[in-house]
Amino acid sequence: MSSDRRKFLKTLGSASLIGGCANTERAPDGYFKDPEPFIQHGRANLESKLEDQESLLTPVDQFFVRNNDVSLDVPVDTYRLVVEGDAIERPLSLTYNDLRSMPSRTVFSYLECGGNQRAYFSKLLNQAATGTQWGRGAVGMAEWTGVPLLEVLQAAGIQESAVAIQLIGMDQGAPEGGFRRPLPVEKAMDPDTLLVLRMNGELLPKDHGAPVRALVPGWVGSSSVKWLGRIEVSNAEIWSRNNTSSYVLIGDDYLPEGQALGQVANKQSLKSALALPWPATLQAGLYRIYGYAYGPDGPIVRVRWSADGGSTWEDAQLLEPRMCYGWTRFEFSWEAKPGRHTLITSAVDSLGAEQPETIPYNQKGYLFNMRLPHPIQIVG
């Protein structure tokens, strides 16, 4: 380790702790971006329209917003990230410039709310699930650049005895007075788990957690805490609202684990969806149909599609590039004749897993990923 690096770490360790920013401002209408391109859910949640997606990366002005309170405007010059707990050697209080000076990494990853497609429990399975009734658009794909979380944890002298990391946001109106989500130390120390400073090459926007948010690729979006203000490092498991009763699969098919009411929803699920309204109405003719497939366990290697209820299947064409945490675009040609039709797609990942035909119910509607029938009315 260089003498400059030792000096930097010593300075961080002796810094006085400041728990976030007291002078944050709240978005008066729930968010700062224009809500027009979105489907609005309540005051602070915006669902993207996949049919408006035209590229691999989701433009920021089309990227979905999932908040537990309204969006925040956090001043960079007073920002502090506090790192504390019984499993580190020295507590830290990091400024924004401190983080900018640390090694950075870029990860291309989709980000998806754990409740994406929740509405289809009711629409397709006739079993209503509580929570925001997202369709298919609580997901987006971006280029994320920031400091690997492990760099900060190592600067704090994380101990071998560390078991869990808890990320805590500055959104005081969220449950627990700041949204929080525990992570096992193994996921926290993954080089691709980031403290994000930039999104799609630009400074992180306010609605997406500026000035600093977490990115935990492949895990439910609630793990990627926005407006990050505090990190707790613990020698014991951490249980909070968001891994005991919320973001938990509760139902007859899910055995409780730890202090949770069911199975904690951590890793995302394998999905595919068409870039069309649901349901859709089209004129008769030959179409090139597009869609997106993604999952937490490596690149998508195959997408099948069916126009006859799953009796016969054809392979869609996968478009490059294919990345570990990135969604994959696919396309296929379809001769649309007048009448009612249903298209179905099914994604296969690099481990050979394929989307299921159906899934068990859970009370809060997390991780819906059955093969989604897409009704289309062809006229003319």
Side-chain angles (χ1 to χ4, degrees):
M1 182 184 293
S2 68
S3 59
D4 288 343
R5 180 68 170 161
R6 290 193 187 95
K7 182 178 179 180
F8 174 61
L9 295 180
K10 183 177 179 181
T11 300
L12 295 181
S14 63
S16 60
L17 299 186
I18 303 175
C21 281
N23 59 338
T24 58
E25 294 185 6
R26 293 157 54 92
D29 297 318
Y31 28 75
F32 294 96
K33 64 173 63 178
D34 181 2
E36 183 61 30
F38 300 90
I39 301 166
Q40 297 186 52
H41 296 282
R43 187 184 177 197
N45 296 316
L46 301 175
E47 178 177 348
S48 300
K49 298 177 182 178
L50 286 184
E51 59 268 29
D52 292 341
Q53 179 79 41
E54 296 180 348
S55 59
L56 179 66
L57 298 183
T58 305
V60 170
D61 61 2
Q62 294 180 11
F63 207 101
F64 82 100
V65 174
R66 166 66 174 105
N67 287 344
N68 289 277
D69 189 21
V70 299
S71 292
L72 301 181
D73 184 0
V74 181
V76 170
D77 55 354
T78 58
Y79 173 80
R80 296 294 185 274
L81 174 62
V82 170
V83 186
E84 57 191 2
D86 59 10
I88 58 173
E89 295 176 2
R90 49 192 169 270
L92 304 179
S93 178
L94 302 173
T95 67
Y96 185 75
N97 285 333
D98 289 335
L99 291 171
R100 287 185 60 195
S101 70
M102 300 179 78
S104 67
R105 183 178 179 89
T106 294
V107 174
F108 290 85
S109 176
Y110 75 91
L111 181 66
E112 181 183 30
C113 175
N116 193 35
Q117 300 191 10
R118 174 185 285 130
Y120 297 112
F121 272 109
S122 176
K123 292 180 179 180
L124 300 178
L125 302 180
N126 199 31
Q127 293 180 294
T130 60
T132 301
Q133 296 301 298
W134 298 105
R136 300 161 302 124
V139 61
M141 166 77 173
E143 172 191 2
W144 311 92
T145 301
V147 179
L149 176 55
L150 67 84
E151 291 283 343
V152 170
L153 296 175
Q154 289 173 345
I158 186 171
Q159 300 173 351
E160 292 185 3
S161 59
V163 170
I165 313 295
Q166 180 157 241
L167 307 175
I168 303 176
M170 299 163 62
D171 44 350
Q172 295 297 307
E176 300 179 289
F179 189 83
R180 58 198 64 202
R181 178 75 172 174
L183 299 175
V185 68
E186 295 80 11
K187 187 62 175 177
M189 296 294 283
D190 186 311
D192 290 331
T193 298
L194 302 182
L195 305 182
V196 174
L197 307 180
R198 304 182 73 87
M199 178 181 181
N200 288 352
E202 304 294 333
L203 290 178
L204 187 65
K206 298 173 185 177
D207 286 307
H208 298 286
V212 181
R213 73 169 299 161
L215 173 72
V216 185
W219 281 39
V220 295
S222 59
S223 305
S224 297
V225 174
K226 298 197 284 189
W227 308 291
L228 187 63
R230 197 158 88 247
I231 299 173
E232 296 177 349
V233 188
S234 174
N235 284 316
E237 293 283 353
I238 299 175
W239 297 98
S240 72
R241 172 186 178 273
N242 296 311
N243 67 344
T244 56
S245 58
S246 289
Y247 302 100
V248 174
L249 303 170
I250 304 171
D252 294 340
D253 292 88
Y254 302 101
L255 295 176
E257 55 186 50
Q259 297 180 26
L261 299 178
Q263 179 183 321
V264 181
N266 285 329
K267 194 165 69 169
Q268 265 296 354
S269 56
L270 180 62
K271 291 186 178 74
S272 60
L274 298 180
L276 291 171
W278 195 102
T281 300
L282 301 173
Q283 295 291 321
L286 179 64
Y287 284 90
R288 197 68 174 164
I289 304 293
Y290 295 86
Y292 295 88
Y294 49 94
D297 292 317
I300 299 299
V301 299
R302 186 184 186 192
V303 174
R304 302 190 300 152
W305 68 279
S306 174
D308 59 8
S311 296
T312 60
W313 295 86
E314 298 183 52
D315 284 338
Q317 179 184 353
L318 303 186
L319 305 179
E320 298 293 344
R322 299 178 221 167
M323 295 171 282
C324 180
Y325 295 116
W327 66 14
T328 296
R329 295 181 293 167
F330 63 86
E331 62 179 12
F332 57 87
S333 294
W334 179 51
E335 181 68 41
K337 298 180 180 181
R340 295 183 182 274
H341 303 269
T342 299
L343 297 181
I344 305 174
T345 60
S346 184
V348 180
D349 69 17
S350 59
L351 299 183
E354 185 167 5
Q355 284 182 259
E357 291 186 39
T358 189
I359 57 172
Y361 170 73
N362 70 89
Q363 294 177 13
K364 299 195 174 184
Y366 295 121
L367 304 184
F368 184 99
N369 76 322
M370 65 178 277
R371 298 172 187 173
L372 187 62
H374 201 118
I376 303 177
Q377 174 70 44
I378 303 300
V379 297

